[in-house]
Amino acid sequence: MSEPRQVLLINPTITSKRHARFPLAVLSLSAALTGRYRPIILDGNIDRNFVATAVNRVGSGGIAAVGVTVMGGPQLVSAIAVSRAIRAQAPEVPIVWGGAFPTVCPEATVNSPYVDYAVRSQGEETFLELLDAITAGGSDAPTGVRGLSWRSGDCAVHNPERQFSAVALDRTLPYQTLENPQQYLTHTYLGSRTAGYQAALGCRFRCTFCGVATMYRGRMALPTAARLEQDLGFLQRQLGVNGIQFYDHNFFDREVDMAPLLEVLAKFQLPWWCFARSDALANLSEASWKLVRKSRLRMTYIGAESPSDWLLHDIRKGTRADQTFAAIEQCRRYGVVPELSFMLAPPQDPEGETERTFEFIRLIKRFHPPTEVMIYIYTPLPTRRDNTNAAAARMADTLRDGSGAPVAFPRTADEWAQPSWVRYWCHKDAPWLSERLRRRIVDFTTVLGCRFPTIMDVRAPRWGKAALRGLAAWRYRYGRYGNPWELRASSRLIRQWDPRVLSL
Ligand code: B12
C-alpha cells in the first residue's frame, strides 16, 4: 500500500512563544485528515522561523497541499509572508486558507496570487473533499465541494455553503503530535499551567459584529458530558493542566443542556474562564450557580457592548443594559469576576455613544469595582452579498468615513494587511473616528487601565500596580482623562500586558 500523502498545516505567528496556546484549528483538521493523509503541523507561535521551516519542508518534496489557518489582523500579515514564500519555492503546491479571515473575506482571499482556495466556515470535511479532488489529479474544477471559494479566470467562484456539522465533537485532538505539548501551558491567574480548550461548536446568536456569526450562521452543538470528562481528564492527568480557558463562543447556553457539563466541571474543580451572555447568567438558577461556584469559574467574559438598548437591538445582540447589571450582581454573589467588553464609537453616533459608555463604565466600577473592562472600537466586517446575515450586510452598507464618503473595504489580502486595516480588524480604529475622539478613547483607556490594573496580568509587580493606581486616582476621580503623559511614562516602566492582544 502506498504511503498517505503529506499535508502541511500551518498556524502562522499571532502571539509570542510565551503566550502560545494549543493551535486548535490545525489540530482539529489534523484529527480529520489522519488515516487518509499524513498531516504535519507547523506552529509559527512556537517556531519563530516558521517561514524558513515551511519553505524547507515544501522544498524537500512530497507535500500534496499546504493548509494555512488565518485570522484577520496580525496573523494575516504572517500568513501572507509564509504563503508568498511557499509559492516562490514550489509554485505547483496548492495553498489553501481557512479560518476567520477567508470565511469573512473569501473574495479578498482568492484575489491574492499566493492562495488557491479559501475554505469558508468549518473546515474538516471541505478540506478532505478538496484534498481528494486535488490528489486524484484530474483537471476538473472543484465545483462540487461545498464551503469552498476559488478562482476561475478573473472571477471568484463561491460554491454553496456547507451544512453545519457536529462530527468534530466525536474526534479527539491529537495533542501528542505537537512538538512538546507542555510548552502550550501558560502561567495565568487561573493556574501555572493553563490550557486553551473548546467544548461546544458554534453559537446560536447572530450579532452583526461577530465573526463567529458569519462562521456558524446561528448553529451550535454541545459536547456530551462524557466527551468533556474524557478531555479534561486527559489534560489534567497527562499534561498536568491546572487551569482552563474555554474558547467556546458562548459557554452558558440553555440551562438544561448546560447542567451535565457543569456537573463535570464541578468534579474537576479546575479554575476556568469562559465567554457568556448577560441574559444567560442573569437567568441561571441558584442550583446552577452553586455548581458554577463549586467548579471554580474564576472569570467570565460578557459582551456588554453598549449602555444603549437601541444599539444592542441594532446589532442584534439580544440583551439589554439592565441585564448587564443583573449578571454582574450574580457574579458578585457567587464569587466570579465579570469581565465586560464594550464597543465604542459606533458610526450611528460615535461621540455620544462613547461618552455614554464612559459614564456607564464608571457606574459599573462604582457598583462592583473588581469588574474587568475591555474597550474596543465598533468595527463591523464586510459581508458577502449572498451572506445569510442580512442585518450585518445592511449595516456594512451604511458605513461612512469622516468626510461622509462610503467606507470601501479592501479587495485583496494584501490591502487588508495594511496597518490601518489591521487596526480596524483588531477593533482599535475606524475610518469614522475624528482625531479628537481617537485621542479621547486612548486617554480614557489609559486612565482606566492604570486606576484599575487588570488581575489578569500576573507578571507586573504588585508595587507597580499600586503605584499606577495611586497616580491615576485623581484623574479618574475628576474625569480629567486628557493627555495622561505621566501615566503613559509610568506604564512604559511597569509594563502591563494587554489581554485584548495576548489573551489571559
Ligand atoms: C484563541 C483565539 C485567539 C488567540 C489565537 C491563538 C492561536 N491561534 O494560537 C489570540 C488570543 C492570540 C487571538 C487574538 C485575536 N483574535 Co482571536 N480568537 C480566538 C478564539 C477564542 C478561538 C479560536 C479557536 O481556536 N477556535 C477553535 C478552532 C477549532 O476553530 P476555528 O479556528 O474556527 O477553526 C475551524 C474553521 O475556522 C476552519 N479552519 C480554521 N483554519 C483553517 C485552515 C484550513 C486550511 C482549513 C481548510 C480550515 C480552517 O476549520 C476549523 C475546524 O472546523 C476565537 C473565538 C472562537 N471561539 O472561535 C477568536 C477569534 C477567532 N478572534 C478574533 C479576533 C478578531 C482576534 C483579534 C484579531 C482581535 C481581537 N482583539 O480579538 C486578536 C489579535 C490580537 C493581536 N495579536 O493583536 C475573531 C475573528 C473574527 C473575524 N471576523 O475574523 C474571533 C472569531 C472572535 C470573535 N468572536 O470575533 N485570538
Side-chain angles (χ1 to χ4, degrees), residues 9 11 14-15 20-25 28-29 45 66-75 96-101 103-104 119 121-124 127 198 209-212 215-216 247-249 275 376 381 425-428 500-503:
L9 298 174
N11 181 34
I14 185 173
T15 190
R21 300 299 162 81
F22 288 128
L24 297 181
S28 186
L29 294 170
N45 288 334
V66 174
V68 187
T69 181
V70 192
M71 209 182 272
Q75 193 173 39
V96 185
W97 279 18
F101 180 78
T103 299
V104 176
V119 169
S121 302
Q122 292 176 289
E124 293 88 345
F127 198 25
Q198 179 169 287
F209 57 89
C210 181
V212 171
M215 174 97 58
Y216 290 95
Y247 288 156
D248 298 43
H249 314 299
F275 294 102
Y376 296 103
L381 288 164
W425 204 289
C426 289
H427 311 287
K428 285 185 179 157
R500 290 173 302 178
V501 175
L502 300 170
S503 185

